[in-house]
């Protein structure tokens, strides 16, 4: 019995590796990953790991096939150029610093050309801006990186932008929220092609806690009630001020953002300036000393500014705290 047991164990141990590394000369599913200067590493590398472990053939492609520099400075040498790229079953559009990419006619034309024959098109994070700029998302739902959801909605009014999801699936076109959500959406695409059991198997190989129903959704957290851009635009910021954000944490009911501030402007003066900025939004009502109240999503939301003294008068901490009351039914 022992003579047969050890070969069987060896075979079972080898099966995951064999399944995860099928020959790529003729892969059953081909994936093309768009690469451009400013691309975010996790946006393409996370899904690359998922698709590679699923046994799909993955090819990275840039407009001219030349190396690109990621948003964090890593140099990447793509496999091929747009002109020489093979057919794809899945087209992945990662995000990052996409300001130039979403206006690059070479990239937009490539997305428009390669999307129709593909079975799935997946954008990650701010890759939704590229996909939206191509016009392919018009009339469909989409999501993106949490801090830029409102910007996506404003820039592309024909796209139905949603925020309360980790990914949005229109059938062929799938968009995911920020960064690691691309891993979840890639697993979702694997599940659509191969089934949930195979997608779970891939997730386990990656030691990734995948939730097919959606899981963690960053945009549900309480800082969504603080319209930072609108508040900041109305503040008369001291010209010499520097702000180092070193805490940004919370949950769906409470959020704290803490900055180390360096400026000759006294803390009391800065708090007054913040109050002016909040008042200008028209969204908040005064509710005490440097404390504001608004009604959002059927919840009472308070916004409070406080400071804490530092090493001297020109160094101090600034806290912006958002607290939402329990939702009323």
């Amino acid at each position: 019995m022992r003579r047969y047991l050890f070969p069987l164990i060896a075979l079972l141990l080898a099966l995951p590796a064999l399944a995860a590394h099928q020959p790529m000369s003729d892969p059953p599913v081909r994936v093309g990953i768009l690469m451009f200067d400013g691309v975010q590493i996790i946006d393409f590398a996370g899904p690359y790991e998922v698709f590679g472990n699923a046994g799909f053939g993955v090819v990275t492609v840039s407009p001219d096939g030349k190396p690109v520099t990621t948003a964090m400075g890593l140099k990447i040498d793509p496999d091929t150029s747009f002109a020489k790229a093979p057919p794809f079953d899945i087209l992945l559009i990662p995000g990052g610093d996409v300001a130039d990419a979403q206006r690059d006619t070479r990239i937009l034309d490539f997305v428009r050309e390669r999307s129709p024959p593909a079975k799935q098109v997946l954008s990650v994070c701010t890759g939704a801006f590229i996909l939206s700029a191509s016009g392919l998302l018009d009339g469909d739902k989409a999501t993106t990186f949490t801090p830029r959801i409102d910007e996506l909605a404003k820039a592309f009014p024909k796209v139905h932008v949603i925020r309360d999801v980790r990914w949005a699936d229109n059938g062929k076109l799938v968009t995911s929220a920020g960064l690691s959500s691309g891993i979840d959406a890639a697993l979702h695409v694997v599940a659509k092609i191969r089934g949930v059991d195979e997608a779970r198997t891939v997730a386990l190989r990656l030691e990734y806690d995948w939730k097919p129903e959606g899981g963690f959704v960053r945009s549900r957290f309480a800082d969504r009630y603080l319209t930072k851009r609108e508040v900041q635009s109305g503040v008369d910021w001291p010209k010499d001020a520097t702000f180092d954000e070193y805490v940004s944490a919370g949950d769906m009911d409470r959020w704290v953002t803490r900055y180390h501030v360096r400026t000759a402007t006294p803390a009391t003066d800065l708090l007054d300036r913040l109050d002016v900025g909040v008042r200008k939004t028209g969204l908040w009502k005064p509710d005490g000393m440097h404390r504001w109240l608004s009604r959002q999503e059927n919840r009472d939301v308070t916004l409070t500014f406080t400071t804490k003294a530092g090493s001297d008068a020109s160094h101090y901490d600034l806290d912006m705290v958002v607290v939402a009351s329990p939702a009323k039914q």
Side-chain angles (χ1 to χ4, degrees), residues 27 29-33 47 51 56-60 87-92:
V29 179
R30 293 182 181 272
V31 181
I33 299 181
F51 293 134
F56 298 176
V58 184
V59 175
T60 54
F88 304 131
D89 300 294
I90 300 171
L91 175 61
L92 176 74

Side-chain angles (χ1 to χ4, degrees), residues 288-307:
M289 182 68 71
H290 309 304
R291 176 184 169 95
W292 298 82
L293 178 67
S294 71
R295 184 70 176 172
Q296 302 181 48
E297 301 176 13
N298 203 31
R299 307 178 78 177
D300 291 325
V301 183
T302 59
L303 168 62
T304 307
F305 302 118
T306 59
T307 58

Side-chain angles (χ1 to χ4, degrees), residues 38 54-56 69 77 83 86 91 116-117 163 216 225 235-236 261 279 309:
F56 298 176
T69 303
D77 190 7
L91 175 61
R163 65 174 61 246
F216 173 88
Y225 298 116
V235 176
D236 178 20
V261 184
R279 184 178 289 108

